[in-house]
Amino acid sequence: PRCGDPLSGSPSLTQSRHSLHLGDCAAALARYGRERRRDLGLAAEQLRLARRHLGRITGHVGAEDVLDIIFRDFCVGK
């Protein structure tokens, strides 16, 4: 396992960025819980953000992440 042996207790996060992304994921899930009864579109966005933060911990990189880097670092379209 990436974060430790689940049989020996709670996993430990080995990098501070993992902890930050996990906190951001938890916050997005909390916002999802508040939004799901009011606006499904906003609720879905919170789930997308939570998944994205988990992906940053696990190493999953999607097309959206690549596009963010391109537009942030290469000033495309300016």
Side-chain angles (χ1 to χ4, degrees), residues 7-25:
L7 299 176
S8 67
S10 298
S12 63
L13 297 174
T14 57
Q15 295 185 13
S16 61
R17 72 176 182 86
H18 291 168
S19 182
L20 292 173
H21 283 300
L22 192 58
D24 290 341
C25 176

Side-chain angles (χ1 to χ4, degrees), residues 31-48:
R31 289 189 301 270
Y32 163 77
R34 292 189 299 271
E35 290 293 339
R36 69 180 180 193
R37 291 186 181 99
R38 292 186 288 191
D39 187 323
L40 287 179
L42 291 176
E45 175 64 9
Q46 296 310 315
L47 286 178
R48 186 190 69 77

Side-chain angles (χ1 to χ4, degrees), residues 52-71:
R52 189 173 187 188
H53 284 293
L54 285 179
R56 298 225 173 163
I57 294 170
T58 63
H60 174 76
V61 178
E64 199 172 286
D65 297 310
V66 173
L67 289 174
D68 284 348
I69 291 169
I70 290 171
F71 282 100

